[in-house]
Amino acid sequence: MVTTFKVAVLGAQGVGKSAIVRQFLYNEFSEACAPTKTRRVYLPAVVMNGHVHDLQIMDFPPITSFPVNTLQEWADACCRGLRSVHAYILVYDICCFDSFEYIKTIRQQILETRVIGTTETPIIIVGNKRDLQRGRVIPRWNVSNLVKKTWKCGYIECSAKYNWHILLLFSELLKSVGCARCKHVHTAIRFQGALRRNRCTIM
């Protein structure tokens, strides 16, 4: 049985949202930074612990605010589908304080305005660019403590450039959206290969 999980990836410009998605899907990274200007939708099939799951990953450009209702959501092409996803990935750059403030604001807006009946929609906070650790602006412990204990969200740091913790991010994502068969998968997941032509990732 194949289950489809819809995921929204949000963050300020230049934090590496698209780089994370492309590293996960195609195992590739580009130094050239091309700002995301329109919503991009990817439909990979993920094999995890012997079971297939369809993902609908929506990579959104930076939004000024989270849509407060369905009318506002569909009036702006960049926000379509944003209120009805199964999980949110909020990405910030560990070297940019403003990018953290951005996801802090977006997270609060999600909590205040999301669709009725989805109060348990998981939110995972992702600190990207771990390879630039020396330029970190907020201590990791401070962020992790805030996110996990106060916000009650998942927290992962990764490096899209070096493909570090990218698979871990998406495995934790599947667990968070209630994939019963994925809850007991060991965190040390083996990446067995990706069928790029079919956009199928094996975890």
Side-chain angles (χ1 to χ4, degrees), residues 18 26 37 48 52 54 65 76 80 97 103 107 109 113 122 145 151-152 159 165 171 179:
S18 299
Y26 311 120
K37 296 182 179 180
M48 186 172 181
V52 179
D54 281 341
S65 63
D76 185 349
R80 289 176 184 171
F97 181 78
I103 63 155
R107 172 195 162 272
Q109 292 175 354
T113 66
N145 192 54
W151 294 1
K152 307 299 182 184
S159 168
H165 276 185
S171 67
C179 172

Side-chain angles (χ1 to χ4, degrees), residues 68-142:
V68 297
N69 53 46
T70 303
L71 180 62
Q72 188 181 93
E73 174 189 13
W74 289 94
D76 185 349
C78 289
C79 292
R80 289 176 184 171
L82 192 52
R83 289 172 54 81
S84 58
V85 298
H86 295 100
Y88 296 93
I89 295 177
L90 305 186
V91 183
Y92 79 100
D93 177 350
I94 66 169
C95 301
C96 178
F97 181 78
D98 288 344
S99 69
F100 183 76
E101 288 296 300
Y102 177 88
I103 63 155
K104 181 179 179 180
T105 300
I106 292 298
R107 172 195 162 272
Q108 188 58 40
Q109 292 175 354
I110 291 173
L111 294 180
E112 294 172 352
T113 66
R114 63 181 155 194
V115 180
I116 296 175
T118 59
T119 54
E120 298 302 319
T121 304
I123 298 175
I124 297 181
I125 308 299
V126 178
N128 189 31
K129 305 187 181 181
R130 181 62 187 273
D131 49 291
L132 301 178
Q133 166 73 12
R134 292 184 178 181
R136 180 189 294 274
V137 293
I138 311 174
R140 183 182 186 281
W141 186 89
N142 290 11

Side-chain angles (χ1 to χ4, degrees), residues 3 18 28 56 63 70 77 98-99 110 114 135 144 152 158 162 165 167 171-172 185-186:
T3 305
S18 299
E28 65 181 29
Q56 182 179 341
I63 57 176
T70 303
D98 288 344
S99 69
I110 291 173
R114 63 181 155 194
S144 178
K152 307 299 182 184
C158 68
Y162 292 110
H165 276 185
L167 284 177
S171 67
E172 289 299 315
V185 178
H186 194 277

